[in-house]
Amino acid sequence: MSQMRIVAAMKKSAILLALFAFAALPAAAQHNEFGILFGYARPMKSDAGKGSFESGMREFYYAMELEPSTLFRVEVGRFKAKTALPIEGGGFDVDENGSMEHADGVIEYRFSEPYGYTGIFAGAGLYRQKTNGRQETDYGFQGGITALFPLNRTYALAFEGAYHWVNVYTPRPRFVTLGAGVRVAF
């Protein structure tokens, strides 16, 4: 039997990764949270045309406090909506059951309210549109508002409304998502 050489080659990389993880430990002392949202999505402007709100939006996020009331949030999500991609020779391939997947980096600023928190956010990320078995990936932006209603120090009900501007093709599609879920802070 021959020995696997990949382990020895990765030894320096593993030590460097462990050093970076150890150096990042002070960041864990900050306020961290994760959440899950479920909701609805609606295409606002695309060659598929405007649509109605359809269920199927799922979003997961992890957030870390940068400064008081300012958080950096990494989120991944998927929503179903009417989508369209251009076809050769002109025209568009419209899919009534299309989907969008996204991974974003978002900065959120929160305001303290008597009942909890409200916030505004904006960020950029990658979006993948799937239409009738075809897919395209490109960058996009999102912005929106949030509301948190704490149940206790750890758990809160979370609500979000977001506007997604996607640069998949010309004209660029835009979507609105509305979601509700749970936030867990630690």
Side-chain angles (χ1 to χ4, degrees):
M1 301 272 300
S2 64
Q3 203 174 15
M4 289 186 61
R5 302 272 183 217
I6 193 167
V7 175
M10 291 179 53
K11 190 174 187 178
K12 289 181 185 177
S13 299
I15 291 171
L16 188 61
L17 182 63
L19 179 66
F20 284 151
F22 182 72
L25 280 178
Q30 302 293 325
H31 170 83
N32 294 300
E33 65 183 52
F34 67 90
I36 181 170
L37 299 170
F38 298 100
Y40 299 89
R42 177 182 181 196
M44 296 301 289
K45 179 185 175 190
S46 75
D47 288 316
K50 289 185 179 181
S52 60
F53 279 102
E54 297 180 28
S55 64
M57 190 273 287
R58 297 182 307 272
E59 191 171 280
F60 303 95
Y61 72 87
Y62 172 79
M64 181 174 62
E65 187 173 49
L66 301 175
E67 293 181 359
S69 300
T70 305
L71 289 95
F72 174 71
R73 195 166 73 184
V74 176
E75 61 183 43
V76 294
R78 178 183 180 145
F79 55 87
K80 295 180 181 177
K82 188 162 63 167
T83 59
L85 287 175
I87 55 177
E88 292 181 28
F92 292 92
D93 181 14
V94 177
D95 186 357
E96 296 287 332
N97 299 311
S99 67
M100 286 292 257
E101 298 172 346
H102 62 95
D104 297 287
V106 175
I107 299 291
E108 179 178 356
Y109 186 78
R110 290 189 179 156
F111 305 94
S112 182
E113 305 285 351
Y115 54 82
Y117 300 94
T118 56
I120 57 173
F121 65 88
L126 293 175
Y127 286 77
R128 177 183 300 148
Q129 177 173 309
K130 293 184 177 180
T131 302
N132 291 327
R134 295 174 48 211
Q135 66 182 20
E136 287 200 21
T137 303
D138 210 339
Y139 68 91
F141 302 99
Q142 72 166 304
I145 57 174
T146 61
L148 291 172
F149 301 99
L151 302 173
N152 58 31
R153 295 180 82 185
T154 304
Y155 300 102
L157 296 177
F159 298 91
E160 175 183 294
Y163 186 76
H164 300 264
W165 176 84
V166 186
N167 188 51
V168 175
Y169 60 87
T170 302
R172 293 159 183 87
R174 291 160 175 84
F175 298 91
V176 170
T177 58
L178 300 173
V182 176
R183 181 227 44 190
V184 179
F186 51 95

